[in-house]
Amino acid sequence: MFSVLQRTATRPLHLWGRSFYHDEAAFGYRSPKPYSLLDYTPAQLVNRAHNASLLRLVDSFRIHGHRAATIDPLDLLQREEIAALNPSRYALDDPNKTYNVDGILWTGGLDNISSNEGSPAVWLSLDQIVHHLRSVYTGRISFEYMHSPYKSERLWWSHLLESLPALSSPSNSHLDDAAKKRVWGLMARSETFDHFLQEKFPSLKRYGLEGAESMLPALDTLFHVASNAGVENIVLCMPHRGRLSLLTDLLQYRPVALFHKIKGGSEIPDNLHATGDVISHLSSTPTLIYDGKRIHVSLLQNPSHLEAINPVALGKTRAKQLALMKDTDPECSLGDRVMCVQMHGDAAFTGQGVVMESLGLSNLPHYTSGGSVHIVVNNNIGYTTPASSARSSLYSSDIGKMINAPILHVNGDHPEDVVRAIKTAFNYRNFFRKDVIIDLITYRRWGHNELDEPSFTQPLMYNRIRSRKSVPSLYEEKLITEEIISSTEATTERAAYKEHLENHLKAVDGYMPSADMLRGQWSRMVWPGSREALKCKDPETGVPLEELREIGRASVQIPVGFELHPRLQRHVSSRIRSIESGQGIDWSTAEALSFGTLLRDGFDVRISGQDVGRGTFSHRHAMLVDQQTENVIVPLNNLSQTNKLELANSSLSEMAVLGFEWGMSWGNPNLLPIWEAQFGDFFNGAQVIVDTFVTSSQTKWLKQSALVMLLPHGLDGAGPEHSSCRIERMLQLTNDPYEYHEAPIDVNVHVVNPTTSGQYFHLLRRQLKRNHRKPLIVASPKGLLRFGPSTSTLQDLGPGTKFHPVLATLPSNLRKIILVSGKVYYDLLREIQIRSLQAEIGLVRLEEICPFPFKPLAETLQTLTSETSNLPEICWVQEEARNQGAFGYVSPRISAVLEKLGWEGARLRYVGRRESEVPAVGVPSMHAQEKNDIIQGALL
């Protein structure tokens, strides 16, 4: 009963009560790091029962102490007398009476619970106990950890915090003089920097750090303690506030580069033809040195949807960790060498749903990255909205309680307490490898930006702010009083930093930006717009037939004794049959062959999303579950010892999961990351990720990605939802030119709607066989997954084969050419065959819509009409409504092809559904009639 808490191999105790997934043997599954703490000894349990009233008082301080803490520098938080903290409430009235506090109040530290012997009895008076509890729980740092359902975590916190002398005691400084001077220097330089920008660029929205300068020593301390603990990489994401101060000081971004950007220059060399981004989205990736240890810090670029960067940072963190774990000993765990640090604003942390979605990923076995440290830079205001209107909870950090994360609130006016809080939080993260939140309570000296007038809406708050000294000034006075620095030294330091900034400003005219996007693991890639990349846009991706057969067999190889579900026997036998015959290679088989060949080629593959292991349409079955034990096998992972397929069945999230996979793609160019929407239109829950990352990262931030988005698409009577992947939205976000061109160009994304399994095979392989990386958006099928005419032969995947952007079925002497994209091709083909119109009507499939296949389409049409002087009728047929689908995109481009061919008078006719406010009707009879009208209208 009183033994050390142990986690078994299959059921972690600290997650007791949750329903467990069953794939611990599958690649990528990572259980949280094990830990153990002792339970109470028998003597402690007796003492707790004997002094139950005292125990209630102590627990009340642990639960409610934060409500009485002095954590708000402006003293605007509503504080009240907390009755639960009054000893008399528990009939404890004699301040001089002594109590044995063993098992009630912890005074021996964490080292004292390493054995079952317990600690010696400690007798304290009630007055001493209350004074100690107040110093621990109601000071300038307050702690919320009692909401944790895990007793071992609650014990860890109480042991750590209550050990004498009190960690939170203001008189007990934990910093030496050198550390204090470093804290002051960071804040003083930040204040000098903000004043410099205000003087030189008074109309600039800089989102300065003034009022929250203690953020810098917080991060500096975090980097320091992390490096001492063996962390080698920090992946950092943050919003606008204080970003420029952090960049130009701690993260070593050259001020001249910033001033060049502020004065209208680009941060990107002109020859890369990129748009760049605003100053508040700039990034830096320095290597810092603490106590002789190197730690690489990667501050990610972010969009103005500030919290959207959170899951991206999580994904990149995991990708870096998995890559490092390949090269380290098997004892290396997630979080040992890489850590994610997420900065937040208080209003965004509460208001943005992606925060909740990202927190929900933190402890999932295929998404965990070993614990993130969250720092909420809390201004108690969002733009002009006060906290009372911005959230329904007491604190903005309360959302962290959904994952039982401990929360430390700290007064940002006291940087030494901020440093102490950071160290404490990191100790928790490093021990438990779980998320922890620091609520850094500060204020904004100016408005949302420096051009605002905040007193329009917050006059009382800003009267208080403008009457107080700055945080650096207050701390400077403290150090002068302690004779750690002198006033002359302080003045000299500030003047020297201002001169440093002046020199950088003077150097702007001679500054030329540089780009370092091809370094580290990306050094083997080329820039997508380069000549080398354009030559490699369309590589051959076929594979020797015997290798395909071997991989196909391996993809459904079942070990002896494994009990497969009876209905999956057909899946296995069907695949073996198609592999051996070389005929009828369906979509799941083609996909398995692409995965297996990529693993053999030295790449990793990860497919993520809801129910991806078996597939939404029960077609994939890449993971198989033993019907007796629920043990999982992924047969393809027997192909390689080093490269693996990770099947990440995700939470019911779109935005965070897609963002996570985008981060994975940033972290490893040798990974094929795939996100599959349960249905194509589900991506709209992740529209922010599509807009601000998938389609624009290259031109804004010089970032490449091999991400594949699989969006099941097709109007098949499912109603307004589950029908369309909104392909028109994707196409509208591309940079594909309208004008005819033959040479390959550098488009931002590829958008495809393949109609055969072989085409899908080549598309997936093309993602990694090129010398650069591009996102791929696939309008993937539903009804075609097992549809016989859409299957391919093994020869279609063999040597010398590749993806074809245009497929044509074109007889001579045509009277009509129908251009289509997607599964409606098969409906048209069937009707043409029924009517015996094969000699009159030709079908041309656009398999790749972006980049638009100008040259392949022109060559196809030119071949068709070379033997006739009569121009055929040309129409575009689609199943989507006219204001949706690809028509608006392809129409001017098809016209450009016709003009190039000199087809004077040729006109493109539209055939499809009329304009509609929804993707599809919800009445089956209406759907059937619309479908019939399209087919009949196309063949008139």
Side-chain angles (χ1 to χ4, degrees), residues 548-553 574-583 585 589 593 794:
L548 291 172
R549 292 190 184 97
E550 181 185 346
I551 290 170
R553 297 183 195 109
S574 174
R575 177 164 299 178
I576 293 295
R577 199 162 47 244
S578 65
I579 288 294
E580 298 302 337
S581 69
Q583 303 294 317
I585 305 295
T589 302
L593 294 175
L794 217 54

Side-chain angles (χ1 to χ4, degrees), residues 231-249:
V231 175
E232 299 172 0
N233 293 273
I234 298 282
V235 178
L236 172 64
C237 61
M238 71 177 299
H240 300 350
R241 182 151 157 74
R243 191 182 190 99
L244 302 185
S245 293
L246 175 65
L247 278 169
T248 53
D249 190 352

